[in-house]
Amino acid sequence: MPASHTAEHASHDLRHHFADMEQQKETATLGMWLFLVTEVMFFGGMFCAYLLYRLDYYTAWVAGSERMNIYLGTTNTAVLICSSLTMVLAVHFAKLGNRKATAIFLILTIVLGLGFLGIKAVEYHEHWVNHEVPGPNFHFEAPKPGASLQYSPKNVEIFFSLYFAMTGLHAIHMIIGVGLLTWLLVRNARGDFSPYYNSPVEMTGLYWHFVDVVWIYLFPLLYLIRHK
Amino acid sequence: MSEHAQPTVKSFFGIWLALLVLTAITTAASFLELGPFNAIVALFIATCKASLVVLFFMEARHLPKITKVVIITALFFLGILLTLTMTDFMTRLLGR
């Protein structure tokens, strides 16, 4: 980019403590990734708890995992992958300065994000009706003596506790993501973004994709491990 | 950064398609009885998908070195968390 070109457009977008737009952008990206490192450790603790209990109570994990609705889980994975595509396209068009296309893809991302949360709510409802929510109403049939899969219903309750903790934390991140996207939509309509300044769109994109990556691991660990 | 070519819309759709195909494969594979390999296959495919998202959607390929170091730090500390916990757990298991 020629310097004279950036100067006029970027003057009001450039914070005074940065040398130029590129340095400002690199700083924002570094900061966002540092935040995502803390998020990796946040979710990492839960994955670690999952791993330990799974090793100890493997048969209970299989019994719990069999109660997951694999079709809704797969659909939700696809929905989230589609939302990552629309997010990446929103960032792409924000960088090109195409406000209309940015708005369309931000809206599509919001719709897909809400779709994911809706399907998740249907699944939670199914678990509620089936008495699979940990607590006083939790009820899980004990295996018959001599059945091939022996487990303690108490340990299946631990599986469901971790299931709700992990998917719940993920869902909270999705809700925050939808909030951020709505904020971007308002700023985009206001004309805040240009080919010279679009960091908020790009950083929200990083966050959204990170939440997608967390689900990419949650899905096989909770839904797909059904065999002894 | 203007040194590298901007990714095209077409390439985003390519990655998206690959992610959907991998999702279909991992769900289909879960219906097969592979013993301990079920978990290995599922986690291997998940790691492929996560890598595609991080490298292409999150543009991790074109980041400055310092940011790449930060990403590797995340993996490093996650590795410490899991390996040291497992070391403790597995050695206790042997003593039982």
Side-chain angles (χ1 to χ4, degrees), chain A:
Chain A
M1 253 181 283
S4 59
H5 216 121
T6 32
E8 50 174 312
H9 286 274
S11 52
H12 69 283
D13 291 322
L14 180 67
R15 301 289 185 272
H16 66 86
H17 49 287
F18 292 112
D20 52 36
M21 289 306 279
E22 185 164 334
Q23 192 212 356
Q24 177 169 292
K25 174 83 150 230
E26 281 184 7
T27 309
T29 312
L30 178 63
M32 192 64 202
W33 273 103
L34 274 171
F35 167 67
L36 293 182
V37 172
T38 70
E39 289 275 273
V40 167
M41 296 313 286
F42 187 16
F43 280 99
M46 296 193 121
F47 279 105
C48 194
Y50 168 96
L51 186 64
L52 287 182
Y53 280 110
R54 183 185 143 92
L55 285 168
D56 247 357
Y57 306 134
Y58 187 65
T59 50
W61 250 232
V62 173
S65 190
E66 275 173 348
R67 295 292 184 90
M68 295 296 135
N69 189 329
I70 187 168
Y71 301 104
L72 289 183
T74 307
T75 310
N76 247 354
T77 309
V79 168
L80 214 50
I81 286 170
C82 293
S83 82
S84 258
L85 174 71
T86 55
M87 184 73 236
V88 94
L89 290 172
V91 173
H92 179 78
F93 286 111
K95 281 180 182 170
L96 292 178
N98 186 337
R99 270 167 69 184
K100 199 176 163 201
T102 307
I104 289 171
F105 284 110
L106 284 175
I107 291 169
L108 279 175
T109 313
I110 292 172
V111 168
L112 288 165
L114 291 175
F116 176 93
L117 288 167
I119 294 174
K120 201 75 224 146
V122 170
E123 283 186 73
Y124 277 5
H125 178 73
E126 267 181 26
H127 293 308
W128 174 261
V129 171
N130 295 334
H131 297 281
E132 288 157 1
V133 178
N137 285 322
F138 184 84
H139 179 76
F140 205 86
E141 239 13 92
K144 292 188 175 60
S148 63
L149 191 69
Q150 291 297 325
Y151 55 85
S152 154
K154 269 277 162 224
N155 297 339
V156 180
E157 193 169 2
I158 299 179
F159 171 82
F160 276 104
S161 298
L162 280 167
Y163 163 80
F164 280 105
M166 292 168 97
T167 58
L169 184 65
H170 179 265
I172 289 171
H173 277 79
M174 293 286 298
I175 293 167
I176 293 170
V178 169
L180 289 171
L181 289 166
T182 313
W183 167 69
L184 287 182
L185 201 57
V186 173
R187 288 198 66 181
N188 181 62
R190 216 162 58 188
D192 282 3
F193 307 128
S194 66
Y196 306 100
Y197 176 73
N198 45 56
S199 289
V201 189
E202 207 178 333
M203 297 312 120
T204 306
L206 286 181
Y207 174 84
W208 193 261
H209 297 311
F210 167 80
V211 176
D212 188 13
V213 167
V214 171
W215 181 260
I216 283 174
Y217 279 101
L218 284 179
F219 172 59
L221 289 177
L222 295 170
Y223 290 76
L224 298 183
I225 313 234
R226 299 164 300 163
H227 301 302
K228 266 195 290 178

Side-chain angles (χ1 to χ4, degrees), chain B residues 5-94:
Chain B
Q6 282 295 316
T8 59
V9 170
K10 212 173 126 188
S11 72
F12 292 140
F13 275 90
I15 300 298
W16 169 73
L17 204 63
L19 288 169
L20 287 183
V21 169
L22 284 171
T23 303
I25 294 174
T26 193
T27 300
S30 78
F31 286 95
L32 305 172
E33 289 280 358
L34 301 173
F37 284 99
N38 271 112
I40 294 169
V41 168
L43 286 176
F44 176 73
I45 294 177
T47 304
C48 291
K49 286 163 73 183
S51 308
L52 285 177
V53 173
V54 172
L55 291 175
F56 293 93
F57 283 176
M58 296 170 91
E59 292 275 3
R61 295 166 303 155
H62 302 305
L63 291 173
K65 275 204 183 68
I66 179 75
T67 317
K68 281 182 181 161
V69 169
V70 166
I71 300 174
I72 292 164
T73 307
L75 298 175
F76 180 71
F77 279 97
L78 186 66
I80 288 184
L81 172 69
L82 295 176
T83 352
L84 289 191
T85 313
M86 291 315 294
T87 313
D88 178 67
F89 180 82
M90 296 306 250
T91 46
R92 278 166 207 270
L93 210 62
L94 292 175

